Amino acid sequence: MNSRQHQTLLLLLLVCGGGAIEIISTGIAVGMAAALTGFLASYPNIFYYFHECCRAEWISFNKTGLQADLESQLFGQHIASRIILKAVTGFMNNNNPKKPLVLSLHGWTGTGKNFVSQLIADNIYKKGMDSSFVHIFTSELHFPHASQIETYKTQLQHWIRGNVTNCAHSMFIFDEMDKMHPGLIDSIKPFVDYYEKLDGVSYRKAIFIFLSNAGGESITHTTLDFWKTGKDREELALKDVEMSLSLAVFNNKNSGLWHTSLIDKNLVDFFVPFLPLEYRHVVQCAMAEMEARGLPPNPDLANQVASELTYFPKSDRVFSVKGCKTIESKLDYYL
């Protein structure tokens, strides 16, 4: 902030300071008003730099940043990284999308689903996950009682409508999607469909991200079978898991997505599989956590932390049962 901006802010404090204005002479007040008016005429958007708003100063997609983050921070998820980058880039570069972007992320706990949501937010919103335009819903926290499903539907629809009205580029993250009541999920359907407007509001620039453990078992079986054949993990492609994943999600009666209109009407743009993580990926997670804390790299410590996790199959200890979920607490134990 330059000296002129400092002076203007001081003027604002004096003018807005209530009783302070009483000790300022009329001549000084007139001079201050003139200076403030002149400054605002020169810098009409100055206030947008100090308070988050739905403008390019606060919402701007960084493809290079997202690509770099996915490559350097998301381990063992070559399929998910590729889909996320292409899907988000294509959507954000489209000035007139036909519908909101809907991503459904699937896989076992600790494989990176929540983390990817954070990376997406970090590269769209200046304040990342702390942005007032990023909204997170968790089934057990926000919709705990099945008996109140109708109330939840109304509240959720009002919440989405109000926030998109406030900012078209809003992001909605639904965690534990597999635990949500199907009726509640269906209440989201109008907002992610191919409507130009609903009651005067366009939802086409919004992003909906669903996080779910549903389909995780199917993904794991496919990855394990692939490993048993001796093939390289990076050879595993989306086509190898896509069909079994969609069937597992659609036909699983224990999943909130079971026979919902979102799937039935093909409103989910991408089902994104997150593969179970191997020992080497857990080591990478531990090293990344050290770097995030400003600690010197310690491969021995990373391997010690990774070795204490549970792996399967028991005879080969290939895949981590909890992925990287407990790395942070495990590292705390040794520091």
Side-chain angles (χ1 to χ4, degrees), residues 74-79 233-234 274-278 281 284:
L74 183 66
F75 307 116
Q77 304 298 353
H78 64 284
I79 297 177
R233 178 190 181 95
E234 278 65 37
F274 281 71
L275 311 180
L277 299 182
E278 299 178 11
H281 303 130
Q284 289 177 303

Side-chain angles (χ1 to χ4, degrees), residues 85-115:
L85 182 61
K86 288 185 177 181
V88 176
T89 300
F91 180 76
M92 292 302 295
N93 288 341
N94 186 351
N95 292 325
N96 187 29
K98 300 301 181 184
K99 64 180 290 298
L101 176 63
V102 182
L103 302 174
S104 192
L105 315 186
H106 298 265
W108 275 5
T109 182
T111 53
K113 300 186 300 297
N114 279 285
F115 186 56

Side-chain angles (χ1 to χ4, degrees), residues 70-144:
L70 290 171
E71 291 176 353
S72 64
Q73 299 183 51
L74 183 66
F75 307 116
Q77 304 298 353
H78 64 284
I79 297 177
S81 293
R82 197 173 301 129
I83 298 173
I84 294 295
L85 182 61
K86 288 185 177 181
V88 176
T89 300
F91 180 76
M92 292 302 295
N93 288 341
N94 186 351
N95 292 325
N96 187 29
K98 300 301 181 184
K99 64 180 290 298
L101 176 63
V102 182
L103 302 174
S104 192
L105 315 186
H106 298 265
W108 275 5
T109 182
T111 53
K113 300 186 300 297
N114 279 285
F115 186 56
V116 159
S117 302
Q118 175 188 321
L119 294 183
I120 295 173
D122 286 345
N123 287 285
I124 294 179
Y125 304 93
K126 187 175 181 180
K127 297 183 70 173
M129 293 294 284
D130 292 328
S131 171
S132 59
F133 308 123
V134 177
H135 315 281
I136 304 175
F137 300 93
T138 301
S139 177
E140 293 185 343
L141 175 63
H142 296 100
F143 319 112

Side-chain angles (χ1 to χ4, degrees), residues 240-293:
D240 297 315
V241 296
E242 190 172 34
M243 182 59 70
S244 59
L245 171 60
S246 59
L247 289 175
V249 172
F250 188 63
N251 294 321
N252 182 2
K253 293 185 178 181
N254 295 319
S255 167
L257 287 168
W258 178 63
H259 279 240
T260 61
S261 60
L262 292 184
I263 296 180
D264 192 36
K265 301 297 182 181
N266 297 310
L267 297 178
V268 176
D269 296 301
F270 296 94
F271 289 96
V272 186
F274 281 71
L275 311 180
L277 299 182
E278 299 178 11
Y279 179 93
R280 59 191 170 108
H281 303 130
V282 178
V283 172
Q284 289 177 303
C285 287
M287 294 291 287
E289 180 63 24
M290 292 180 205
E291 181 179 357
R293 298 187 186 192

Side-chain angles (χ1 to χ4, degrees), residues 24-91:
I24 300 177
S25 68
T26 303
I28 295 177
V30 171
M32 289 171 56
L36 180 59
T37 301
F39 180 80
L40 292 180
S42 301
Y43 301 93
N45 296 326
I46 187 65
F47 296 114
Y48 295 124
Y49 289 93
F50 298 99
H51 179 71
E52 185 183 29
C53 54
C54 191
R55 291 170 56 96
E57 292 89 348
W58 295 91
I59 303 176
S60 180
F61 177 55
N62 182 0
K63 177 188 176 181
T64 303
L66 178 59
Q67 183 173 6
D69 286 347
L70 290 171
E71 291 176 353
S72 64
Q73 299 183 51
L74 183 66
F75 307 116
Q77 304 298 353
H78 64 284
I79 297 177
S81 293
R82 197 173 301 129
I83 298 173
I84 294 295
L85 182 61
K86 288 185 177 181
V88 176
T89 300
F91 180 76

Side-chain angles (χ1 to χ4, degrees), residues 7-8 11 17 50 81 97 125 143 156 163 179 194 200 237 249 283 299 306 316 328-329:
Q7 293 170 3
T8 301
L11 290 174
F50 298 99
S81 293
Y125 304 93
F143 319 112
L156 181 58
N163 281 287
K179 298 178 182 178
Y194 291 85
V249 172
V283 172
D316 300 289
E328 186 174 347
S329 58

